[in-house]
Amino acid sequence: MSRQPVHVHFETRANKHAVFRMTEPPIVAARTRSGAAVSISLGDDPGELSWLSRATGLVTSNDILREPGFPLADLANRAPGLRWIHIIGAGIEPLLPLDWLPDGLVLTNNSGVHVEKARESACMALLMLHGGLPALMTQQRQHLWRPIFTPRIAGRRLLVVGVGDMGGAVAAAGRALGLRVAGVRRGGAPHPEVEHMATPDAL
C-alpha cells in the first residue's frame, strides 16, 4: 500500500506583521535540517484553497481557520489527506469547541514557545517600573532633572494574575529578582515560582 506524499501548506495573511509572516527561506532551512521528504506550499490569500485537497499538514493562525470561506465544517471531505494542523499562536480559544475537528486530525499550537521571551520582558518591565524609568524618560524629554531614588527591588511583592505559561514566566522573573511572588489562578493549583497562590474570588 503506497503512502500519501507529505505536503505541508503554510498560510498567513499578507498584511500580518513581518514577525508573524511565514516565508520560504526558514521553512526550507528547517526541512533541510530535518532531512524530511516533505513538499511545501505557501499562501497569503485565505480565499485561495487549491492546496487543500493535497495537504497532509497545515501551519496557520486561528483567523485563517475562522475565515467565512474556509471549509472548517466540511474539512474531512475537502481535505481528506489532512492529518495535522498547527496554530502559530498559543491560544486556540477562537476555535473552540473543537467539534469541527475530524477524527484522526491532530491540532497543535505554540503554547510555551514564548516563555523565555516573556520572562526577559517581565524582568525588564519590573526593573523599569520599580526604578521609575517611565518618569525619568518623560523628564528627559522635558529637559528636567529631578532624581528619583528607589530602594532595591529585592524583597518587594509581585502579584501575578493568571499563572499559565506566560504568568509563570513573569513569576519566574520576579523570583529571579528576589521578589515575593503571589499568584491568582482559577483552580488555585500551586506553581513552583509562586510563594502564595489564591483563586480569583480572593483577589
Side-chain angles (χ1 to χ4, degrees):
M1 180 172 153
S2 62
R3 295 182 60 188
Q4 175 184 347
V6 177
H7 180 84
V8 179
H9 181 76
F10 298 80
E11 185 74 31
T12 49
R13 292 184 187 279
N15 63 355
K16 279 269 191 188
H17 188 284
V19 75
F20 295 112
R21 272 201 310 273
M22 294 175 282
T23 58
E24 192 169 4
I27 294 169
V28 170
R31 180 179 62 184
T32 301
R33 283 193 308 272
S34 73
V38 176
S39 64
I40 61 170
S41 56
L42 280 83
D44 59 11
D45 177 6
E48 202 291 298
L49 298 172
S50 62
W51 54 268
L52 195 56
S53 62
R54 70 181 191 279
T56 313
L58 168 61
V59 179
T60 192
S61 54
N62 290 326
D63 60 331
I64 298 293
L65 297 183
R66 299 302 302 166
E67 270 288 313
F70 192 85
L72 204 61
D74 193 31
L75 208 50
N77 293 321
R78 294 288 301 277
L82 194 61
R83 296 293 174 262
W84 170 59
I85 297 176
H86 181 75
I87 302 299
I88 61 174
I92 60 164
E93 290 80 6
L95 301 176
L96 298 177
L98 296 178
D99 51 4
W100 57 268
L101 194 65
D103 290 341
L105 199 156
V106 175
L107 179 68
T108 59
N109 66 357
N110 272 355
S111 181
V113 75
H114 302 297
V115 165
E116 286 305 307
K117 177 62 177 171
R119 187 183 56 74
E120 291 174 357
S121 296
C123 272
M124 174 187 67
L126 289 167
L127 289 169
M128 286 173 52
L129 291 171
H130 178 71
L133 190 60
L136 289 171
M137 297 301 292
T138 299
Q139 290 178 30
Q140 182 186 45
R141 285 191 297 273
Q142 296 169 346
H143 305 286
L144 298 174
W145 174 244
R146 294 183 188 139
I148 297 174
F149 301 102
T150 58
R152 292 186 64 233
I153 195 170
R156 307 286 289 194
R157 292 180 184 271
L158 169 66
L159 173 63
V160 180
V161 179
V163 189
D165 286 336
M166 298 300 192
V170 174
R175 286 285 295 267
L177 294 170
L179 297 172
R180 299 190 62 194
V181 181
V184 173
R185 67 191 328 183
R186 275 194 295 260
H191 188 282
E193 302 291 355
V194 175
E195 184 178 331
H196 174 75
M197 188 71 77
T199 50
D201 59 313
L203 186 55

